[in-house]
Amino acid sequence: MANDLFNSFMTGPDEQGRFGDFGGRFVSETLMPLILSLEEEYEKAKTDDSFWAEMNDLWTHYVGRPSPLYFAERLTDHLGGAKVYMKRDELNHTGAHKINNVLGQIILARRMGKTRIIAETGAGQHGVATATVCAKFGLKCVVYMGAHDVERQAPNVFRMRLLGAEVVPVTSGRGTLKDAMNDALRDWVTNVRDTFYCIGTVAGPHPYPAMVRDFQAIIGKEVREQMDAAEGRLPDTLVAAIGGGSNAMGLFFPFLDDKDVNIIGVEAGGKGVNAKMEHCASLTGGRPGVLHGNRTYLLQDDDGQILEGFSISAGLDYPGIGPEHAWLHEIGRAKYVSITDVEALEAFQLCCTLEGIIPALEPSHALAHVMKLAPTLPKDHIICMNMCGRGDKDIFTVAKALGFEMGNFG
Ligand SMILES: *Cc1c(COP(=O)(O)O)cnc(C)c1O
């Protein structure tokens, strides 16, 4: 692979979409022409200044980029070690990093003359971001969502409907995110002419993992500049939460060739990685297999059946992980750890009272790892974590977990 020649971690994937043994394009013949025309369009857009000019304009005026890099002073004092910075991607329009990627894919769809956008969603954040950008451009939007998730995530379902999207509850399989993604892929092959499939994370067949990473890499690019302005150097350690791995890849990618920068991905440990698969830690608790068109680490039983996983955070319960993470894990460039529900809840509460920021449960996992790490490091060590989403969507879940009855706080 070209990586050996140039000694760079940033040249992948290869022409087949492989990152080492991971990734690729495991799709049916009917899907292949669609994937190839998407790849062709993306390759053109990548080096087209007018494409990036449109992205930058929307990132600035519609999303609110650049998001701030914030020194968490009270948290740093409280932990008593390394300096903790937060990349504030929760301040983006729609409250998370998802819209960075959705904008890129929708602009591509428009260039390809597509008028109907489909998407899968789990917790609903990617569905909301997609419905938002479709409304802005007057595109038809259909969101596939597991029937179980439709019930659990009622506020996001209503948001999508307000934005004019059609939400299709998926009852096949177990009615979760994995099944929603299967149904979206099925829709795509039957509506070839007018439909574009907007994937929400660094998963799916090539070119999606690389393309979504490239759109999310704005996060890490901004951190490089902002950290240089704040500290005059690079951060020492990067920390991000991982569902499929898109916010993490976005933060990590621009730093992959800076060998002195430690990179840590945080998976959802649920009730604990050793407790009968009641977690979503694909790298720390799964093994390689093929799902949704690529080869990566998956949660599976001894027969290769994909397991559902469990986490207090609906946005982290994808049974796989982006193939580039699987590769970074195997070659040792990035380290992957897991954090339990209990630890994430503690970090959530600490962030509220120490920093006045109500974080989403996903980045609360990253923060929980920062809480373990910072006290062990010297005061001149700089940690940057991605605050990839705000917590408004999670307050009911947290209330329940903490034993509060909403409407009865006394
Ligand atoms: C969707 C989501 C995630 C998980 O997705 P990644 O692709 O791993 O980033 C994490 N945090 C928030 C706030 C999300 O909405």
Side-chain angles (χ1 to χ4, degrees):
M1 201 158 148
N3 292 314
D4 303 324
L5 283 176
F6 300 104
N7 198 23
S8 169
F9 296 108
M10 296 171 69
T11 56
D14 67 13
E15 318 76 62
Q16 268 86 48
R18 287 178 308 214
F19 301 92
D21 288 338
F22 302 100
R25 192 139 55 186
F26 297 82
V27 298
S28 63
E29 268 175 60
T30 41
L31 206 54
M32 205 55 174
L34 294 169
I35 298 275
L36 289 175
S37 79
L38 169 64
E39 184 183 16
E40 190 188 338
E41 194 70 26
Y42 180 56
E43 284 303 318
K44 268 193 277 173
K46 243 178 16 187
T47 53
D48 179 346
D49 289 344
S50 72
F51 176 82
W52 291 104
E54 191 176 357
M55 285 289 278
N56 282 324
D57 182 61
L58 288 163
W59 270 337
T60 306
H61 300 105
Y62 194 63
V63 176
R65 303 208 72 89
S67 65
L69 179 71
Y70 166 70
F71 172 47
E73 193 173 355
R74 289 193 72 213
L75 182 72
T76 298
D77 287 348
H78 175 83
L79 298 176
K83 274 181 112 162
V84 180
Y85 280 85
M86 295 174 176
K87 177 60 170 164
R88 302 286 307 275
D89 251 52
E90 99 280 12
L91 294 175
N92 294 336
H93 182 40
T94 69
H97 63 287
K98 296 277 184 351
I99 197 162
N100 301 331
N101 159 51
V102 168
L103 272 180
Q105 290 196 50
I106 301 287
I107 293 173
L108 267 189
R110 278 162 49 84
R111 289 180 155 226
M112 295 172 80
K114 306 288 185 184
T115 52
R116 180 174 176 270
I117 308 297
I118 58 171
E120 83 294 334
T121 199
Q125 292 300 104
H126 175 60
V128 168
T130 306
T132 298
V133 180
C134 284
K136 191 215 155 1
F137 284 111
L139 297 164
K140 187 169 165 46
C141 179
V142 179
V143 179
Y144 287 90
M145 188 170 188
H148 184 53
D149 291 328
V150 170
E151 255 171 60
R152 286 196 292 183
Q153 308 292 333
N156 272 342
V157 174
F158 189 55
R159 273 186 196 107
M160 288 184 261
R161 293 201 166 130
L162 283 173
L163 292 160
E166 180 192 344
V167 179
V168 182
V170 172
T171 50
S172 61
R174 299 243 190 106
T176 60
L177 175 59
K178 165 177 71 72
D179 309 301
M181 202 153 169
N182 284 332
D183 273 24
L185 282 163
R186 233 168 271 143
D187 177 314
W188 201 19
V189 285
T190 41
N191 296 286
V192 179
R193 204 179 38 78
D194 64 345
T195 297
F196 184 99
Y197 180 17
C198 181
I199 295 187
T201 190
V202 285
H206 178 62
Y208 281 102
M211 179 174 71
V212 175
R213 171 202 71 196
D214 292 345
F215 293 145
Q216 292 293 0
I218 185 69
I219 299 171
K221 283 180 203 156
E222 287 176 4
V223 167
R224 281 188 86 95
E225 283 180 19
Q226 292 169 322
M227 195 60 87
D228 190 51
E231 296 276 353
R233 65 180 183 91
L234 297 178
D236 298 297
T237 300
L238 302 173
V239 183
I242 297 195
S246 69
N247 86 84
M249 229 32 255
L251 175 65
F252 299 166
F253 187 70
F255 294 94
L256 288 182
D257 285 344
D258 298 287
K259 305 263 161 64
D260 293 335
V261 177
N262 301 304
I263 295 180
I264 305 174
V266 184
E267 298 193 291
K271 297 180 184 173
V273 172
N274 297 324
K276 359 165 216 159
M277 286 290 180
E278 286 175 314
H279 63 84
C280 299
S282 318
L283 277 183
T284 37
R287 58 196 166 81
V290 172
L291 178 69
H292 297 142
N294 73 91
R295 182 169 187 277
T296 190
Y297 276 75
L298 303 169
L299 297 180
Q300 48 189 318
D301 65 16
D302 294 340
D303 302 326
Q305 290 282 351
I306 305 301
L307 300 171
E308 289 304 330
F310 176 87
S311 168
I312 189 169
S313 163
L316 298 180
D317 65 4
Y318 181 63
I321 180 167
E324 194 165 7
H325 286 292
W327 174 67
L328 292 170
H329 167 69
E330 286 227 337
I331 62 172
R333 175 61 189 100
K335 187 178 146 187
Y336 295 85
V337 298
S338 70
I339 282 292
T340 65
D341 288 355
V342 171
E343 292 168 326
L345 270 170
E346 204 181 302
F348 176 101
Q349 294 173 83
L350 196 72
C351 190
C352 292
T353 54
L354 280 183
E355 293 296 345
I357 296 171
I358 301 179
L361 280 168
E362 295 89 355
S364 297
H365 286 70
L367 186 60
H369 188 66
V370 169
M371 285 166 60
K372 287 186 184 176
L373 202 57
T376 70
L377 294 165
K379 288 192 192 305
D380 62 353
H381 188 105
I382 299 172
I383 299 178
C384 177
M385 67 150 286
N386 198 10
M387 183 53 76
C388 58
R390 63 173 185 235
D392 309 45
K393 68 182 176 63
D394 292 320
I395 56 171
F396 299 98
T397 307
V398 172
K400 198 171 158 207
L402 297 179
F404 286 111
E405 263 180 62
M406 277 297 203
N408 183 23
F409 289 100

